[in-house]
Amino acid sequence: MMKCKRCRSKAEVQIRHHNAAFCRPCFIFFFQRQVQRSIEKQRMFTAQDHVLVAVSGGKDSLALWDVLIDLGYRTVGLHLALGIGDYSHISTTKTVEFAHRRAVRLITVDLEADGLAIPTLARFTNRPACAACGTTKRHQFDRVAFENGFRVLATGHNLDDEAARLLGNVMHWQVHHLAKQGPVLEPVHERFARKVKPLYRISEYETAVYAFFRGIDYVVDECPNSVGATQLTYKDMLNRLEAVMPGSKLTFVQDFLKSGRPAFSPGTDGAPQSCEVCGMASFGTLCSYCRLRREVERAQDTWKVPRTASGSGR
Ligand code: SF4
Ligand SMILES: [Zn+2]
Ligand SMILES: [Zn+2]
């Protein structure tokens, strides 16, 4: 029988890269303590800060929010209803239910109701859905944080996400991205919040176990647009490496932060200006989100002219 490292009772989960096994209560304790250590060691935020937590309805972000609530941090959730069919509807339902059950405040931005659902943005601008989605998320996270006075924004990115992103950046030698990749991103614009990833040392497997042990009801399906994403290929590869050499992912990310990152320079983009329309950070007169919206409006206007002309009287 495998025994719990902490209390010697029967273990329920084995964490190979920590060379440890735990019973259910000890794993929950171990998981939460790891998150707390990351927060403190990387100076992400303190118990006095108001933290906006981006929650998609998936296991990582809900596990993160769950831990932060339990650890006594002051949090408010932020959920974007992206308008990606059933996937989005289920995600929103799970998130709202979680907030209700834990009696915590949730801010929901309904992009679909605003006519800015991701499929609409993608269709009218000929962009890949994930590109439109990335621009939307960045903008909405920053905007809501700013408008509600949050100085810290936390996301549920885990070790697998960080390792895959690192591998992608290395594969293409994205030196400026490498200079900035990490668990804490300090604001470079007056309207930006500090962005933090408290789960960056915790594997996807661990968050799945945590969510299961805690009875968190999350959306199990992946976004339909994630199928075939390069990121998944990288994750696959890293998982194969991890199976042969437990601890590879953690070493890759931690050693990068310690020895790799200092070797890269952040580039000479300079400080961003402010968008003329929305006031958020921009390079140029409009921010990328306002540019995206303008493109959508233009395309819709052009398409509407013949439609109304031929459709009149019906
Ligand atoms: S897979 Fe793409 S479209 Fe789906 S949530 Fe992620 S970034 Fe957005
Ligand atoms: Zn135990
Ligand atoms: Zn703007």
Side-chain angles (χ1 to χ4, degrees):
M1 182 183 89
M2 221 174 25
K3 280 188 181 160
C4 171
K5 188 182 175 179
R6 234 177 121 237
C7 73
R8 312 308 297 164
S9 65
K10 186 174 178 296
E12 266 192 79
V13 56
Q14 191 187 8
I15 308 297
R16 283 182 70 204
H17 65 270
H18 287 301
N19 201 10
F22 296 100
C23 70
R24 196 174 284 219
C26 290
F27 175 77
I28 292 170
F29 174 85
F30 165 79
F31 186 97
Q32 296 193 341
R33 201 184 50 179
Q34 272 198 92
V35 178
Q36 183 149 34
R37 283 198 177 153
S38 297
I39 293 168
E40 289 170 358
K41 226 177 123 209
Q42 299 287 336
R43 297 166 193 264
M44 294 182 180
F45 48 85
T46 67
Q48 276 70 52
D49 286 308
H50 289 270
V51 182
L52 187 64
V53 187
V55 274
S56 66
K59 63 180 178 320
D60 302 301
S61 54
L62 285 180
L64 170 63
W65 200 10
D66 183 86
V67 176
L68 297 183
I69 295 166
D70 257 37
L71 291 175
Y73 289 108
R74 304 173 178 188
T75 61
V76 169
L78 166 59
H79 175 75
L80 306 182
L82 299 170
I84 308 175
D86 282 349
Y87 164 74
S88 286
H89 295 146
I90 299 168
S91 306
T92 303
T93 309
K94 304 269 185 199
T95 308
V96 169
E97 281 172 2
F98 177 92
H100 186 73
R101 226 175 298 129
R102 301 296 308 256
V104 280
R105 185 173 161 223
L106 173 70
I107 300 173
T108 302
V109 178
D110 191 343
L111 296 163
E112 193 169 22
D114 296 341
L116 296 165
I118 302 304
T120 309
L121 299 181
R123 177 153 34 96
F124 285 102
T125 64
N126 278 319
R127 279 188 177 78
C130 293
C133 189
T135 303
T136 299
K137 282 180 184 165
R138 275 190 296 276
H139 174 83
Q140 297 292 351
F141 289 172
D142 286 326
R143 180 187 67 79
V144 173
F146 172 74
E147 286 176 3
N148 293 277
F150 290 93
R151 309 283 298 279
V152 184
L153 173 85
T155 55
H157 293 99
N158 59 36
L159 176 62
D160 295 58
D161 298 320
E162 286 304 283
R165 179 200 268 239
L166 178 56
L167 185 57
N169 282 339
V170 166
M171 286 293 287
H172 300 281
W173 292 113
Q174 300 278 6
V175 290
H176 301 327
H177 292 179
L178 284 165
K180 285 182 290 189
Q181 183 179 341
V184 178
L185 189 61
E186 292 295 344
V188 292
H189 185 269
E190 58 189 13
R191 293 197 175 188
F192 274 174
R194 180 190 302 140
K195 299 193 178 98
V196 299
K197 303 167 185 167
L199 303 184
Y200 83 104
R201 286 169 58 236
I202 296 184
S203 69
E204 198 172 314
Y205 172 71
E206 288 169 278
T207 57
V209 173
Y210 180 83
F212 174 72
F213 282 177
R214 296 279 296 163
I216 297 172
D217 186 18
Y218 58 88
V219 55
V220 177
D221 288 338
E222 299 283 343
C223 171
N225 296 321
S226 72
V227 178
T230 327
Q231 183 94 351
L232 292 183
T233 312
Y234 290 148
K235 282 189 177 176
D236 249 26
M237 250 196 65
L238 288 159
N239 281 336
R240 269 189 277 157
L241 198 61
E242 183 79 25
V244 185
M245 293 186 278
S248 298
K249 281 186 258 189
L250 193 57
T251 308
F252 186 40
V253 169
Q254 280 189 326
D255 287 0
F256 161 72
L257 292 173
K258 201 168 87 201
S259 316
R261 193 170 64 171
F264 297 99
S265 109
T268 49
D269 278 352
Q273 303 147 259
S274 299
C275 171
E276 275 181 3
V277 174
C278 73
M280 300 304 291
S282 71
F283 290 96
T285 46
L286 295 188
C287 74
S288 33
Y289 189 64
C290 289
R291 275 206 306 269
L292 186 74
R293 285 182 64 162
R294 188 159 287 187
E295 260 183 66
V296 174
E297 282 160 20
R298 287 219 177 111
Q300 285 176 335
D301 280 350
T302 333
W303 291 20
K304 244 177 235 155
V305 180
R307 261 209 312 270
T308 20
S310 68
S312 60
R314 262 188 249 163

